[in-house]
Amino acid sequence: MTEIKETKAQRVERFKRAKNAWDCIDEIRGFARQGHNSIPPEWLGTYFRSWGIYTQGDGNGVTGGGGGEGKATPYFMVRIRIPNGILRSPQLRAVANIAEQHARGVADITVRQNIQLHWVTIESLPEVLDRLHSVGLTTTGACGDVVRNITGCPLAGLDGDEICDASPIALELTRQLAGNSEFYNLPRKFKVSVTGCHLWCSYPEINDVALTASTRRRKGVIETGFSLRVAGGLSTEPHLAVRLNAFVAPHQAVQVVRGVAEIFRESEVLRHSRERARLKFLFLNHGWTADSFLAELHQRIGFKLDPAEPEQIPEDAYRDHVGIHAQKQPGYSYVGASVLRGRITAEQLKSAAEIADHFAGGEVRTTIMQNLVLVNVRNEDAATVAKGLEASGLPVAASVFTRGTIACTGSEFCKLALTETKGFARWLVEALEDRIPGFDQQLKLHIAGCPNSCGQHWIADIGLEGKKVKVDGRMVDAYYFCVGGAVGKFAAIARPIGYRCAAVEVPDAIERLLKAFDSDRNPGENLRQFFARHSNDEIRTLLAGDWAEPVDRDAIAGPVPHGVEG
Ligand code: HEM
Ligand code: SF4
């Protein structure tokens, strides 16, 4: 009899059914006592993730391994969950100290407002988790098939234009969903965003469920509530969230998000393939529609939501929160510093905590553009705060390239990466600053080291997706170009335009494209409009400097696999 091999999805499902890793902290403590070799594969590949812990690659991404994954090292990446990006200086200082002692002095701010550490050993894990816990931080559910960090506007409660402060809802949802055993075993990751801001800076369009504040008039009274979107996500098959015909009152918000999470949890059809397990695949592959989803949601929550109201969709959702800006509290400002590609040192974290203590009542925020914001700064102190941050290498007045560039983890630590991204991002930004010094258009330049799109290249003006190409018989890092991605009113997935070049040639290509934009644009035309007006062939020609045959996005010039398991 031939043995039927268990699929990856079946294996992961079996592991998850067998145990809820959140109940098993003692096992982690045991591994720490007995050393790395005592850790069983199911912990390395599955259970650790629920604790925000991933195995770390050896710096070669997939190229150094096999079967679509790079080699793991005996080090871990540890993701700290920062709900709504709200942090206090003692927490920031604790992260800095942990980074110094256990993570080689560096951390990354991520595109979901989290902070990620690397180089953590199994021996230090219990201490890292305990110390985070002692300052009210957790890694629970920062990775894995669970409700991930709940994002929101970092200026909630501070922004003069906001419709409402939605952060209490994001925090309540975090209390109810993160680490709650009822939701320990979802088919895959589940991303939630709640924002009360006008600009939708937390990118509702790419979340599994998102609430954005809106208003309605009832009997002459203005009421605040939320629009509801579901089933957004990027990854290899991007899908912008679908708006449901519902107006969610603030008191209904938690129940509604829980309801969506329950529908996801019980969608057995999603548990057959890891690559087709996100909520969006109910819509993409299983015939669900906005109406059928809403009907199911009504059934689940046991009451009917009011119909949707017209909403104001932000024109161009670009908001990096960098610079000095007034808050709604008279006399106060927030000061946002650009953290290029999110990479920050322990020293910089400590300086930021110090400055926050002196001038910001200890209040700090992380943003989804991988930046740090100090809030509640008295107007008269704002320049001093900016100077202090600048002196620490965290620029408040930064070029559009520094401000607009974000990068995923890349091959330095990620086993699925084809390219190194963080060093590349910095080098690219420096090159563009040198070559096009006066460029003044807001530009989202997003870099992902593989098609998984952790660097969100699908929603960038210029999105770079990591590849490998052969140059002089050697495989080297390369990037494939996607342009014209956007969120907000003109929301669109970036167009793959058939141009790919070696990483070292990327500055030349972007310089040619942006210089062409500068010289050929119509009066008042922005980058998005410029890209929309030009065909793929035209943009490819601008990037290449000459006519170039289109190349396939996923054709890899050599035997380099790219895994999509995670
Ligand atoms: C199948 C594998 C994976 C897929 C499909 C995937 C996909 C994604 C996507 C689409 C995002 C964008 C998040 C958003 O804005 O909503 C994201 C975030 C992120 N990914 Fe991945 N990812 C995978 C594996 C990994 C791995 C192995 C690493 C590195 C060890 C990684 C690191 C990150 C980081 C740092 C973020 C920022 C999000 C956060 O803080 O939660 N990803 N991922
Ligand atoms: S996009 Fe690819 S390379 Fe970058 S962190 Fe995600 S999985 Fe790793």
Side-chain angles (χ1 to χ4, degrees):
M1 232 171 64
T2 46
E3 203 183 317
I4 299 172
K5 208 168 166 265
E6 191 180 39
T7 64
K8 246 177 199 174
Q10 286 166 339
R11 191 174 66 243
V12 175
E13 288 300 321
R14 175 164 59 81
F15 290 154
K16 289 190 295 179
R17 276 195 308 275
K19 95 165 71 166
N20 171 0
W22 289 333
D23 293 339
C24 305
I25 183 73
D26 287 345
E27 284 190 53
I28 298 181
R29 294 187 197 284
F31 304 143
R33 282 191 300 273
Q34 289 155 35
H36 198 273
N37 289 340
S38 69
I39 310 171
E42 61 272 24
W43 268 91
L44 291 172
T46 302
Y47 296 134
F48 266 136
R49 295 188 189 179
S50 311
W51 282 94
I53 297 161
Y54 247 108
T55 50
Q56 189 174 303
D58 63 355
N60 288 321
V62 297
T63 55
E69 274 200 20
K71 281 189 193 142
T73 62
Y75 297 102
F76 295 101
M77 173 211 109
V78 174
R79 193 178 289 161
I80 306 160
R81 199 180 172 109
I82 319 285
N84 207 121
I86 299 173
L87 265 177
R88 301 224 6 109
S89 53
Q91 297 174 318
L92 201 59
R93 201 168 284 114
V95 173
N97 289 330
I98 294 169
E100 207 162 56
Q101 286 157 27
H102 299 288
R104 302 196 183 176
V106 289
D108 285 339
I109 301 175
T110 78
V111 293
R112 290 192 70 82
Q113 299 177 299
N114 291 320
I115 299 182
Q116 201 161 287
L117 302 174
H118 303 94
W119 298 114
V120 178
T121 61
I122 187 65
E123 289 78 10
S124 14
L125 253 183
E127 187 186 331
V128 168
L129 299 180
D130 290 345
R131 278 170 64 180
L132 290 171
H133 186 73
S134 72
V135 290
L137 289 173
T138 178
T139 63
T140 314
C143 304
D145 295 349
V146 298
V147 180
R148 298 290 186 90
N149 189 43
I150 297 179
T151 60
C153 175
L155 302 180
L158 311 168
D159 168 23
D161 292 328
E162 75 182 353
I163 298 172
C164 67
D165 175 0
S167 63
I169 295 175
L171 298 181
E172 180 55 25
L173 279 167
T174 300
R175 274 188 289 275
Q176 293 209 18
L177 298 176
N180 175 349
S181 298
E182 283 178 59
F183 298 99
Y184 92 94
N185 176 6
L186 300 178
R188 220 170 175 300
K189 58 178 138 180
F190 188 72
K191 296 182 177 175
V192 182
S193 182
V194 183
T195 184
C197 76
H198 268 292
L199 287 170
W200 296 10
C201 67
S202 65
Y203 299 167
E205 297 92 337
I206 59 169
N207 280 264
D208 292 282
V209 53
L211 297 173
T212 48
S214 80
T215 53
R216 69 178 181 187
R217 188 179 280 274
R218 277 283 181 284
K219 297 182 187 135
V221 179
I222 304 271
E223 293 175 1
T224 298
F226 293 92
S227 292
L228 173 61
R229 282 177 170 72
V230 299
L234 293 176
S235 177
T236 46
E237 274 181 74
H239 183 249
L240 296 174
V242 175
R243 188 175 183 210
L244 302 188
N245 184 17
F247 182 85
V248 180
H251 72 275
Q252 298 168 327
V254 170
Q255 217 177 335
V256 163
V257 173
R258 275 186 75 115
V260 178
E262 284 171 17
I263 293 175
F264 182 49
R265 183 186 60 198
E266 275 140 57
S267 296
E268 284 304 316
V269 71
L270 295 176
R271 293 183 186 262
H272 303 318
S273 154
R274 302 283 299 159
E275 286 84 37
R276 302 275 180 280
R278 296 284 301 277
L279 190 67
K280 65 186 175 187
F281 288 104
L282 288 182
F283 289 76
L284 286 169
N285 291 359
H286 301 288
W288 286 53
T289 63
D291 288 344
S292 64
F293 196 100
L294 185 61
E296 180 65 28
L297 180 62
H298 282 155
Q299 185 120 20
R300 185 151 297 266
I301 58 182
F303 60 89
K304 233 176 143 206
L305 295 162
D306 285 351
E309 297 284 332
E311 62 177 359
Q312 287 260 315
I313 303 184
E315 283 270 322
D316 264 319
Y318 180 95
R319 196 171 189 195
D320 59 7
H321 304 98
V322 170
I324 301 175
H325 305 277
Q327 287 183 197
K328 76 167 148 200
Q329 294 78 9
Y332 286 86
S333 295
Y334 68 89
V335 183
S338 184
V339 183
L340 180 54
R341 78 246 140 101
R343 176 63 50 89
I344 192 161
T345 64
E347 257 169 50
Q348 289 174 320
L349 289 167
K350 281 188 196 170
S351 310
E354 194 72 15
I355 299 169
D357 272 340
H358 275 102
F359 298 107
E363 293 286 341
V364 182
R365 303 287 182 267
T366 49
T367 80
I368 60 164
M369 285 191 78
Q370 304 179 320
N371 294 327
L372 264 191
V373 185
L374 270 55
V375 305
N376 295 335
V377 176
R378 290 212 314 257
N379 288 347
E380 57 271 30
D381 295 330
T384 313
V385 168
K387 234 165 118 186
L389 290 168
E390 302 256 0
S392 318
L394 300 170
V396 172
S399 77
V400 286
F401 300 117
T402 296
R403 292 174 68 154
T405 298
I406 67 160
C408 77
T409 301
S411 63
E412 186 183 12
F413 303 122
C414 172
K415 289 185 303 176
L416 303 181
L418 288 161
T419 58
E420 191 286 325
T421 52
K422 296 284 191 193
F424 169 74
R426 180 170 162 174
W427 173 77
L428 174 62
V429 165
E430 284 168 2
L432 293 173
E433 284 174 345
D434 276 355
R435 294 172 187 209
I436 330 176
F439 195 74
D440 62 355
Q441 284 276 313
Q442 291 188 333
L443 167 74
K444 282 203 277 195
L445 177 53
H446 291 191
I447 302 162
C450 84
N452 284 325
S453 196
C454 307
Q456 304 170 329
H457 66 287
W458 291 123
I459 54 164
D461 298 305
I462 300 177
L464 301 178
E465 180 181 298
K467 301 287 170 206
K468 281 280 194 260
V469 292
K470 208 174 231 176
V471 175
D472 298 333
R474 232 168 41 91
M475 298 303 278
V476 299
D477 282 10
Y479 284 97
Y480 181 94
F481 282 72
C482 301
V483 305
V487 281
K489 190 163 177 181
F490 306 100
I493 296 299
R495 286 146 51 200
I497 53 121
Y499 185 66
R500 185 184 60 212
C501 65
V504 291
E505 293 167 13
V506 169
D508 297 342
I510 295 183
E511 180 185 2
R512 283 191 287 265
L513 179 67
L514 295 184
K515 284 192 168 159
F517 164 75
D518 257 347
S519 57
D520 303 347
R521 70 169 132 162
N522 292 330
E525 189 174 47
N526 65 23
L527 259 182
R528 180 176 47 71
Q529 292 158 335
F530 180 83
F531 289 152
R533 182 161 67 79
H534 287 80
S535 68
N536 290 356
D537 285 351
E538 288 167 336
I539 290 179
R540 201 169 54 252
T541 307
L542 293 176
L543 282 166
D546 204 346
W547 166 255
E549 281 299 322
V551 295
D552 215 357
R553 181 165 73 86
D554 283 322
I556 292 172
V560 182
H562 60 278
V564 285
E565 167 60 10

